[in-house]
Amino acid sequence: MSLNLEQYVSEFSAQNIDGEHLLQLDGSKLKALGMTSSQDRAIIKKKLKEVKASLEKARKAQEKMEKQREKLRKKEQEHLQRRSKKTGKFSSDATEGSHEQ
C-alpha cells in the first residue's frame, strides 16, 4: 500500500502472500498473481531488492556481533584459566612453605 499498489492487496491476501513469500517472488510469479503492469512489477522488484539488501546487511551485522561476543567470551575464559592457575600456584607455594617449617 505504501507503494500505491493497493489494487493487488486482495489477490495477494487471497494467495496468502506474506513477507516471506513476497521475498521469493519474481516477475513471472508477480504476473501470475495478476500484476499485469510491467511498471508495477518493476516497482515491486526494486523494493524487494532493497529489502533483501537490508536483510543481508542486518544478517551480516548480527554475525559480526556474534563473532565479537564469542571472541570476548574466549578471552574471558582464558583470563579466568590464567587466574586460577596463578591462584593454584600461590596456594601450593604456601602449602610447601608451611611443610618446610
Side-chain angles (χ1 to χ4, degrees), residues 54-66:
S54 178
L55 287 172
E56 183 63 18
K57 187 176 179 179
R59 185 188 63 78
K60 285 182 179 181
Q62 179 69 28
E63 285 179 358
K64 185 177 178 179
M65 283 181 58
E66 287 174 8

Side-chain angles (χ1 to χ4, degrees), residues 7-18:
Q7 66 268 30
Y8 303 110
V9 170
S10 60
E11 184 60 30
F12 278 49
S13 295
Q15 298 294 325
N16 294 319
I17 303 297
D18 59 12

Side-chain angles (χ1 to χ4, degrees), residues 79-90:
H79 177 73
L80 289 173
Q81 286 175 347
R82 277 183 265 152
R83 227 169 94 190
S84 67
K85 285 180 182 178
K86 284 182 181 178
T87 306
K89 185 177 179 183
F90 289 137

